[in-house]
Amino acid sequence: MVLAALLVLPTLSRAMALTVGFSQVGTESDWRTAFSADMQAEAKRRGITLLFADAQQSVERQITAVRGFITQRVDAIVIAPVVVTGWAPILKEAQAANIPVFIADRAVDVDASLFTARIAANFNLEGRLAGAWLAQASKGRCNILELQGTRDSAPAIERRKGFDNIINQFPDMRIVFSRNGDFTTEGGQKAMEELITETHGLQGICAVWSHNDNMALGAIAAMKAQGLRPGHDQLMVSVDGVPKIFQALLDGDANASVELKSDIGKYIFDVVQGYLGGKHDYPKWVVIPSDLHTQADAASVLAARGG
Ligand code: AHR
């Protein structure tokens, strides 16, 4: 019995010593840096060697990184793709090399046979949650400014669709201006500075809908610099639930944020390890839940997160 265990153990530990290549979008938002830190911590906890490649928002850099992972013969590849387009050729290369690919967070626009599974929240639902919150908060009458995330990225596409899907059911709700802020604080601030000028100080504007918190935080800074009162005279709704937006909710500068969980390494590595261990019946999309927070629960959520 003991001898049998001794013979099996080295095989098991060899089987567990995984090397995973991870191509990450960049460092554009607080959510993203928290997600990167969580992936690294979770890999360490599980004894996985994680080869981390920061693409600095460039899909070309991602493709180069993935090709490098293939050359290194990693056990699995995780990709958080910048945009939905351009992925088929490199995914075919990974498939030809027999390396399973897992898509994390953002989606890719390819035939589903080219990757093993996607582990991600439902961005369309996030947009619908934000739209539904705004519909009730504004009683269905609202001229909205939209700050959009990176063009051709799954969250920008799907959040917009989900939000539109809800507000289109209210004849007096409409997006009057949209600007791209590339998911960054600076992008949101610059876009809002321009919008303040174009709307003569946000005249007639009831809300700002931002595809992520960092752009909302930039917009809040721009509005306050002009003596405007975000959270009071304009409703501010965004996505991510990062610590700084919770502070803005507590300060009364923001009104609602749909939480996109950033500690998702556990969901991703569960699927990667499960698959490599022989479980092959995962759904193509393993959905991570989302929920909405407002000024009413900001203090308790922050306290539960440890401040
Ligand atoms: O893909 C998720 C989005 O990417 C987050 O909402 C945003 O903050 C990040 O840049």
Side-chain angles (χ1 to χ4, degrees):
M1 179 73 169
V2 175
L3 184 64
L6 283 176
L7 287 174
V8 166
L9 267 179
T11 321
L12 271 184
S13 56
R14 247 203 328 272
M16 307 278 288
L18 301 177
T19 298
V20 175
F22 175 36
S23 170
Q24 174 62 296
V25 170
T27 53
E28 73 285 359
S29 68
D30 292 7
W31 181 86
R32 183 70 54 191
T33 49
F35 170 36
S36 292
D38 182 69
M39 283 293 278
Q40 281 159 329
E42 190 63 30
K44 199 166 171 199
R45 248 192 305 279
R46 294 173 186 237
I48 294 172
T49 303
L50 189 70
L51 308 180
F52 182 91
D54 175 350
Q56 297 163 48
Q57 300 252 53
S58 148
V59 72
E60 289 76 20
R61 268 196 207 97
Q62 290 203 287
I63 288 167
T64 305
V66 172
R67 195 160 284 130
F69 296 148
I70 296 171
T71 309
Q72 290 174 77
R73 304 282 327 148
V74 296
D75 297 296
I77 296 172
V78 177
I79 305 171
V82 177
V83 289
V84 294
T85 46
W87 286 100
I90 191 72
L91 294 182
K92 283 182 186 159
E93 286 178 39
Q95 197 165 61
N98 253 326
I99 300 177
V101 173
F102 300 84
I103 305 296
D105 171 41
R106 299 184 182 179
V108 285
D109 196 0
V110 294
D111 189 285
S113 65
L114 289 177
F115 61 91
T116 303
R118 173 172 174 236
I119 305 105
N122 184 335
F123 299 139
N124 189 288
L125 173 66
E126 292 166 354
R128 281 182 280 136
L129 284 171
W133 177 84
L134 186 58
Q136 67 81 31
S138 67
K139 300 191 170 59
R141 299 177 68 82
C142 196
N143 286 335
I144 303 158
L145 299 184
E146 180 187 46
L147 299 176
Q148 295 189 338
T150 305
R151 191 160 293 117
D152 291 335
S153 71
I157 297 168
E158 286 301 322
R159 287 175 188 161
R160 165 92 204 220
K161 272 194 207 158
F163 187 85
D164 280 357
N165 184 281
I166 297 295
I167 67 160
N168 287 346
Q169 296 174 54
F170 296 85
D172 293 323
M173 290 185 84
R174 66 190 60 85
I175 292 177
V176 287
F177 288 101
S178 281
R179 284 288 179 286
N180 192 287
D182 213 13
F183 284 128
T184 66
T185 305
E186 302 69 39
Q189 182 159 355
K190 187 167 171 293
M192 183 51 74
E193 283 163 1
E194 290 168 10
L195 287 167
I196 291 172
T197 308
E198 277 175 59
T199 59
H200 310 289
L202 304 187
Q203 272 180 42
I205 301 300
C206 134
V208 178
W209 148 236
S210 172
H211 289 188
N212 83 342
D213 288 345
N214 278 84
M215 293 190 293
L217 290 163
I220 289 169
M223 291 159 84
K224 289 174 95 170
Q226 295 295 320
L228 299 167
R229 300 191 323 143
H232 301 272
D233 297 333
Q234 280 79 34
L235 295 164
M236 306 292 295
V237 56
S238 51
V239 184
D240 277 355
V242 298
K244 283 183 203 149
I245 207 76
F246 274 94
Q247 194 51 53
L249 289 169
L250 289 177
D251 295 343
D253 294 335
N255 303 91
S257 178
V258 181
E259 184 178 2
L260 176 67
K261 293 183 199 314
S262 58
D263 54 343
I264 55 174
K266 54 180 178 283
Y267 298 95
I268 295 166
F269 288 121
D270 274 358
V271 176
V272 171
Q273 286 183 303
Y275 182 83
L276 292 174
K279 179 172 159 52
H280 286 179
D281 58 353
Y282 286 104
K284 267 291 158 185
W285 182 9
V286 177
V287 183
I288 300 174
S290 321
D291 45 15
L292 180 125
H293 301 288
T294 64
Q295 292 176 350
D297 70 346
S300 61
V301 172
L302 267 187
R305 286 182 182 182

